[in-house]
Amino acid sequence: MDEKGHRRFQITRRTVLESGTVTAAYLLGGFPRIGLAADAADEEATLTPISVELHVNGQVHSLTLDPRTTLLDALREHLALTGSKKGCDHGQCGACTVLLDGRRINSCLTLAAMHDGQAITTIEGLAEGEALHPLQRAFIEHDGFQCGYCTSGQICSAVGMLGESQAGAPSYVTENLTEAQPSLTDAEIRERMSGNICRCAAYPNILAAIRQAAGAPT
Ligand code: FES
Ligand code: FES
């Protein structure tokens, strides 16, 4: 109180500490509660299973999936097609490469629900019965693998890559952009396959296998 009897607000060390404690309690307790409540609502919404029809290697599979299921997990965990491998699970290694309507994609980076009705080809679908795909044969003949973990991704990627180059798609290292079909030099193949990592470093043999399948001198 001052001399006129008015109550005065005094900032003391004690009031600062008390107000700071209240703010901290709000930040630590208040906001996270709001966030968790929102997360729970979101989770409930996203957990509602959805129906997806996946066309894989010429067969139609009707699945009921958590909408967050990646294409890779749908193939491996729901269809037991374990040829496509999970290396990094975030688009860096290429071990999960499959073909989608003939184009290569990293199946770990896309949701199964986005590919309802599209033609998906995995390594299991490349051979024609007992006859291996020319790239599969070339990988065997050139010993294009050691542990083999990257191999299905390498082969699917090479199939897509040969299709891209035959269609005339240039790469970062294509020198003559007027060519209808860029020649597949070693530099072209290396660049176009650079999304597929081989930790065994079987690159020279992978390159030789792809050159053979592409009809280039090996
Ligand atoms: Fe998909 Fe590595 S597992 S890119
Ligand atoms: Fe082992 Fe490529 S053969 S990672």
Side-chain angles (χ1 to χ4, degrees):
M1 295 280 187
D2 60 17
E3 65 279 3
K4 294 181 180 169
H6 294 142
R7 192 183 181 94
R8 292 186 64 162
F9 181 74
Q10 286 191 319
I11 298 178
T12 64
R13 187 166 180 271
R14 182 187 175 93
T15 55
V16 169
L17 286 175
E18 282 173 353
S19 64
T21 306
V22 169
T23 305
Y26 182 65
L27 287 174
L28 292 173
F31 286 147
R33 263 203 302 279
I34 292 167
L36 285 176
D39 285 352
D42 286 351
E43 199 166 330
E44 203 174 305
T46 54
L47 281 178
T48 307
I50 52 167
S51 299
V52 184
E53 204 169 74
L54 292 184
H55 296 220
V56 186
N57 302 332
Q59 288 190 348
V60 179
H61 302 271
S62 297
L63 300 174
T64 302
L65 299 173
D66 181 318
R68 299 166 297 182
T69 308
T70 64
L71 179 57
L72 177 61
D73 284 343
L75 293 170
R76 290 180 54 85
E77 310 297 332
H78 295 265
L79 300 180
L81 292 169
T82 53
S84 308
K85 298 292 188 268
K86 186 179 281 189
C88 62
D89 208 19
H90 53 261
Q92 291 191 338
C93 72
C96 64
T97 306
V98 299
L99 298 161
L100 187 74
D101 290 334
R103 301 194 62 181
R104 51 189 173 159
I105 59 162
N106 288 332
S107 59
C108 71
L109 283 187
T110 189
L111 298 177
M114 296 165 67
H115 303 297
D116 191 286
Q118 287 181 289
I120 298 158
T121 307
T122 67
I123 189 73
E124 291 90 346
L126 287 183
E128 300 271 354
E130 294 297 305
L132 293 179
H133 186 282
L135 270 159
Q136 290 175 307
R137 273 204 314 276
F139 266 68
I140 293 170
E141 286 166 20
H142 288 274
D143 211 10
F145 44 81
Q146 288 182 35
C147 76
Y149 199 79
C150 72
T151 310
S152 46
Q154 299 277 3
I155 292 176
C156 283
S157 187
V159 172
M161 182 275 283
L162 292 182
E164 287 160 24
S165 95
Q166 279 158 13
S171 81
Y172 183 70
V173 298
T174 303
E175 287 184 4
N176 184 356
L177 293 176
T178 62
E179 270 183 321
Q181 191 179 322
S183 16
L184 271 185
T185 60
D186 286 0
E188 280 280 356
I189 295 174
R190 285 200 184 96
E191 167 62 22
R192 290 169 188 266
M193 292 296 295
S194 58
N196 291 80
I197 307 300
C198 174
R199 69 193 73 182
C200 299
Y203 297 113
N205 305 36
I206 292 170
L207 178 64
I210 294 174
R211 291 183 69 189
Q212 173 178 307
T218 54

